Amino acid sequence: CRFIFPDNLLGISWVDSSWIPILNNGSVLDYFSERSNPFYDRTCNNEVVKMQRMTLDHLNQMVGVEYILLHAQEPILFIIRKQQRQSPTQVIPLADYYIIAGVIYQAPDLGSVINSRVLTAVHGIQSAFEEAMSYCRYHPSKGYWWHFKDQEEREKTKPKAKKKEEPSSIFQRQRVDALLLDLRQKFPPRFVQQKPGEKPIPVDQIKKEPEPAPEAVKPEEKETVKNAQSAGAKGPPEKRMRLQ
């Protein structure tokens, strides 16, 4: 079975759980050289040394691609470097790989880091411009202005200021009283509440107090009243001129 892996291996990882308990400085290169590891190049000098059963010290005498253990912090972190050896004292680094808790990742190069940061920044700026353009409004008579959703919510929740009520005039009060009196005469109330808090009762059930009987007038008083009335009708007596 042949596996074809993409050229960019920054987005993948590889792990073999059976090796994790025995990982150390001496076994980590053997773990990295597993056939299922996509980061391992089988044409490297390490594979040649392994097939000829030689030690890793012979890598310094060879020319080509090789893998070395660059840094180790047992048992969690291991860093392996892939490099191109041109002479026993001259090498060119090609890639770095770090192993964390048995999981192998490829370390990104400086160009990939800068490219990722630039793309992230450009994406954020583009999203900000698109968001800003969604709030932009234009009208030929008004021009351009900003219309935010938060502003609409604040205007909806903002309590409206109550208008001050102007006092009514004397004419208005008298006119209203006249209208209320006219309505009361046309539509008299059917229920009356004699005291606050009591249940209203129909007007028909209210007992009317008897009117006081007119007092008996004596006949002498009647004659006095008649004389006074007759005198008032005739008018005052004429004045006579006195003779000197």
Side-chain angles (χ1 to χ4, degrees), residues 17-47:
S17 56
S18 61
W19 279 82
I20 295 177
I22 59 174
L23 277 181
N24 52 43
N25 295 352
S27 62
V28 65
L29 285 176
D30 294 333
Y31 172 61
F32 190 84
S33 62
E34 282 287 325
R35 291 185 176 274
S36 57
N37 182 13
F39 304 108
Y40 184 66
D41 185 3
R42 307 196 189 289
T43 61
C44 63
N45 293 337
N46 297 64
E47 195 71 14

Side-chain angles (χ1 to χ4, degrees), residues 186-237:
K186 290 182 179 179
F187 308 99
R190 298 182 180 180
F191 296 88
V192 177
Q193 188 178 15
Q194 296 181 349
K195 294 181 180 181
E198 293 184 354
K199 185 178 181 181
I201 59 176
V203 179
D204 302 337
Q205 297 181 6
I206 299 176
K207 295 181 180 180
K208 296 182 179 180
E209 296 181 359
E211 296 180 358
E215 297 180 357
V217 182
K218 297 179 179 181
E220 296 177 355
E221 295 178 356
K222 288 182 179 180
E223 292 180 358
T224 306
V225 173
K226 287 181 180 180
N227 294 333
Q229 291 178 355
S230 61
K234 291 179 180 179

Side-chain angles (χ1 to χ4, degrees), residues 26-200:
S27 62
V28 65
L29 285 176
D30 294 333
Y31 172 61
F32 190 84
S33 62
E34 282 287 325
R35 291 185 176 274
S36 57
N37 182 13
F39 304 108
Y40 184 66
D41 185 3
R42 307 196 189 289
T43 61
C44 63
N45 293 337
N46 297 64
E47 195 71 14
V48 176
V49 170
K50 185 178 180 180
M51 293 176 61
Q52 295 180 2
R53 296 182 179 181
M54 296 186 295
T55 61
L56 295 177
D57 297 334
H58 290 80
L59 292 174
N60 297 333
Q61 307 300 325
M62 302 175 67
V63 176
V65 177
E66 64 183 20
Y67 293 92
I68 63 170
L69 179 60
L70 184 66
H71 176 75
Q73 186 177 347
E74 295 184 5
I76 298 297
L77 177 64
F78 301 93
I79 297 177
I80 294 176
R81 169 166 291 181
K82 178 182 180 181
Q83 57 190 10
Q84 177 75 33
R85 181 170 292 277
Q86 297 179 348
S87 67
T89 58
Q90 186 178 4
V91 294
I92 300 175
L94 300 177
D96 289 336
Y97 306 91
Y98 56 94
I99 304 173
I100 300 178
V103 184
I104 302 177
Y105 305 91
Q106 181 176 349
D109 56 290
L110 183 59
S112 300
V113 173
I114 295 175
N115 187 25
S116 176
R117 296 286 187 251
V118 171
L119 288 177
T120 303
V122 170
H123 176 71
I125 295 173
Q126 185 177 0
S127 301
F129 273 111
E130 292 176 356
E131 183 73 13
M133 289 300 296
S134 64
Y135 298 125
C136 182
R137 300 289 185 272
Y138 174 77
H139 193 271
S141 61
K142 297 181 180 180
Y144 289 95
W145 76 92
W146 298 104
H147 185 74
F148 298 99
K149 297 179 181 178
D150 298 340
Q151 185 177 0
E152 293 182 356
E153 296 178 357
R154 286 196 299 269
E155 290 178 356
K156 291 181 180 178
T157 57
K158 185 178 180 181
K160 296 182 179 179
K162 295 183 178 179
K163 296 182 179 179
K164 294 183 178 180
E165 297 181 357
E166 298 180 357
S168 60
S169 62
I170 299 176
F171 172 77
Q172 292 174 342
R173 291 195 294 270
Q174 292 178 351
R175 186 61 180 169
V176 171
D177 294 341
L179 292 173
L180 293 176
L181 182 61
D182 186 23
L183 290 174
R184 181 169 181 175
Q185 292 176 356
K186 290 182 179 179
F187 308 99
R190 298 182 180 180
F191 296 88
V192 177
Q193 188 178 15
Q194 296 181 349
K195 294 181 180 181
E198 293 184 354
K199 185 178 181 181

